[in-house]
């Protein structure tokens, strides 16, 4: 949702207006407010079941809005997506069926994919920023263009601005930030705070509570009671991330954001394709791969943070490595490709 929101902002600057077609199940927490406050049309395409697309309703929206190009960003879960597959409510999306319906209405279709596996999407363009895509996986796909790897990461404009603003790492009470995605469904926050506890008299700790966190207000209040500065459902994460000296992050899109900002990161992964991203940025030198909840060396995290956060020279090296990897022009590349479909 958020990367599509950032893309919609970029399209608006190119005089193209976007609308959002969503399942009711996606309109959780503070998510709907971000879209509607930005002035975008939001259309629900589910029926009585908030998790399942209603094809008749989708068709009516397509026809009523006069849409010509559709960008599909639907998660196709893999075997480790236990937050979805473990939910009794979750209904897997029929992505091939949706693509057929869209194309039957005369739509030209592009697709953002996070899949770390073979691809068979029948669309015009596939965008996949995962840093370990194998071109051989696309041999069975009929897309005319494949845009693969970090060069197609859609860095929001606010992150570009923050990346261009010089700042120094703190030498007194450096700031460590925690952000584990939309809802921290793996529960990374508690063990991370436990690991940081011995350092709390020497560092400041902040946390971002994701906009889709169940009972987010209560979670935020609990963290504040521990003396932690909390940002819940912040409309723009760029200035928050840019002001940190070190961040614990889930290994999704935010690792790309952190690299572009020059924010050194400690990466925890929720699933296989996230671990691939963490390992990539570990090799690049902008992040340290901590593994998953099961294999993270939690007793060693305290010493790791202590050694790293007060070593300004090492932090500067990590900053330079991240900025060299993400050039910030991916959004323009994606928009240029989408405009070519009109």
């Amino acid at each position: 949702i958020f990367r599509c929101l950032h893309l919609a902002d970029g399209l608006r600057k190119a005089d193209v207006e976007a609308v959002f077609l969503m399942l009711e199940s996606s309109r959780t927490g503070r998510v709907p407010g971000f879209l509607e406050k930005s002035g975008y049309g939001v259309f629900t395409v589910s029926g009585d079941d908030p998790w399942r697309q209603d094809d008749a309703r989708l068709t009516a929206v397509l026809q009523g809005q006069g849409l010509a190009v559709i960008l599909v960003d639907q998660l196709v879960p893999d075997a480790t997506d236990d937050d979805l597959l473990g939910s009794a409510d979750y209904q897997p999306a029929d992505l091939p069926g949706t693509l057929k319906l869209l194309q039957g209405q005369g739509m030209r279709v592009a697709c953002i994919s996070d899949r770390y596996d073979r691809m068979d999407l029948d669309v015009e363009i596939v965008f996949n920023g995962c840093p370990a895509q194998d071109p051989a996986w696309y041999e069975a796909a009929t897309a005319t263009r494949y845009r693969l790897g970090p060069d197609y990461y859609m860095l929001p404009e606010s992150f570009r601005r923050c990346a261009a603003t010089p700042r120094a790492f703190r030498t007194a009470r450096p700031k460590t930030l925690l952000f584990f995605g939309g809802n921290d469904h793996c529960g990374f926050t508690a063990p991370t705070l436990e690991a940081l506890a011995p350092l709390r008299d020497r560092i400041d700790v902040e946390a971002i509570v994701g906009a889709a966190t169940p009972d987010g207000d209560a979670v935020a209040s609990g963290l504040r009671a521990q003396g932690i500065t909390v940002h819940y459902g912040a409309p723009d994460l760029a200035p928050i991330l840019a002001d940190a000296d070190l961040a614990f992050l889930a290994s999704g899109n935010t690792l790309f954001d952190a690299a572009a900002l020059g924010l050194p990161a400690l990466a925890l992964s929720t699933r296989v394709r996230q671990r691939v991203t963490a390992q990539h940025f570990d090799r690049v030198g902008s992040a340290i791969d901590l593994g998953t909840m099961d294999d993270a060396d939690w007793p060693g995290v305290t010493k790791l943070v202590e050694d790293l956060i007060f070593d300004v020279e090492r932090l500067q090296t990590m900053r330079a490595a991240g900025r060299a990897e993400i050039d910030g022009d991916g959004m323009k590349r994606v928009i240029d490709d989408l405009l070519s479909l009109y």
Side-chain angles (χ1 to χ4, degrees):
I1 292 173
F2 283 95
R3 67 180 163 199
C4 287
L5 175 59
H6 298 318
L7 178 58
D9 291 340
L11 286 166
R12 179 176 277 173
K13 291 182 179 179
D15 294 323
V16 176
E17 193 66 17
V19 298
F20 287 77
L21 314 183
M22 302 172 63
L23 300 180
E24 184 63 33
S25 59
S26 296
R27 296 168 60 81
T28 61
R30 298 190 176 184
V31 169
F34 288 113
L35 302 174
E36 287 149 2
K37 287 178 182 177
S38 297
Y40 294 112
V42 182
F43 299 91
T44 301
V45 296
S46 50
D48 294 336
D49 183 345
W51 288 87
R52 187 178 291 278
Q53 178 177 290
D54 184 303
D55 288 350
R57 181 171 292 187
L58 172 58
T59 300
V61 173
L62 295 174
Q63 295 174 344
Q65 293 299 306
L67 305 177
V69 174
I70 298 286
L71 179 68
V72 176
D73 189 351
Q74 288 188 333
L75 174 65
V76 177
D78 60 37
T80 59
D81 284 323
D82 52 1
D83 57 318
L84 288 176
L85 299 178
S87 170
D89 295 323
Y90 175 65
Q91 300 285 341
D94 177 14
L95 184 52
T98 295
L99 296 178
K100 184 176 180 180
L101 185 154
L102 295 173
Q103 290 156 343
Q105 293 294 318
M107 307 287 106
R108 303 193 73 182
V109 182
C111 184
I112 296 175
S113 173
D114 292 322
R115 195 182 302 180
Y116 181 62
D117 202 347
R118 293 190 176 275
M119 304 291 292
D120 56 0
L121 297 175
D122 181 14
V123 296
E124 308 238 7
I125 309 173
V126 173
F127 301 102
N128 193 325
C130 178
Q133 290 295 294
D134 183 349
W137 291 348
Y138 292 79
E139 292 174 352
T142 58
T144 56
R145 282 170 275 181
Y146 317 114
R147 304 310 196 202
L148 310 178
D151 282 350
Y152 289 89
Y153 181 69
M154 297 181 291
L155 187 72
E157 182 60 31
S158 60
F159 282 82
R160 287 174 59 91
R161 292 195 298 268
C162 286
T165 303
R167 62 172 295 272
F169 289 103
R170 297 173 180 83
T171 55
R173 295 201 67 83
K175 182 181 294 185
T176 298
L177 179 70
L178 280 61
F179 177 44
F180 299 118
N183 58 15
D184 187 18
H185 70 273
C186 282
F188 289 137
T189 299
T192 301
L193 288 175
E194 184 177 348
L196 293 176
L199 305 175
R200 290 287 299 277
D201 61 339
R202 301 167 60 194
I203 67 173
D204 289 329
V205 179
E206 291 192 1
I208 298 173
V209 175
T213 301
D215 300 319
D217 286 313
V219 172
S221 296
L223 292 172
R224 292 189 183 105
Q226 300 179 53
I228 296 166
T229 300
V230 176
H231 310 271
Y232 172 38
D236 186 3
L237 300 184
I240 302 170
L241 290 165
D243 189 49
D245 299 289
L246 180 68
F248 282 84
L249 302 173
S251 305
N253 289 338
T254 315
L255 271 190
F256 294 82
D257 295 331
L261 291 172
L263 171 62
L266 303 177
L268 286 155
S269 300
T270 64
R271 50 182 64 94
V272 172
R273 64 173 180 271
Q274 279 206 352
R275 187 72 189 277
V276 171
T277 300
Q279 290 168 339
H280 172 79
F281 285 106
D282 190 300
R283 288 191 297 270
V284 166
S286 64
I288 296 174
D289 171 27
L290 298 182
T292 65
M293 176 67 81
D294 293 334
D295 57 24
D297 177 20
W298 291 106
V301 169
T302 305
K303 182 68 164 55
L304 174 61
V305 174
E306 185 175 26
D307 290 344
L308 179 58
I309 200 167
F310 298 105
D311 187 343
V312 171
E313 183 176 350
R314 187 177 177 191
L315 293 175
Q316 289 172 337
T317 298
M318 295 178 74
R319 168 178 286 172
R323 286 181 168 171
E325 179 66 11
I326 305 297
D327 66 7
D329 290 333
M331 180 75 76
K332 181 181 184 304
R333 296 183 184 109
V334 170
I335 288 175
D336 286 346
D337 272 328
L338 291 177
L339 293 181
S340 75
L341 298 179
Y342 285 88

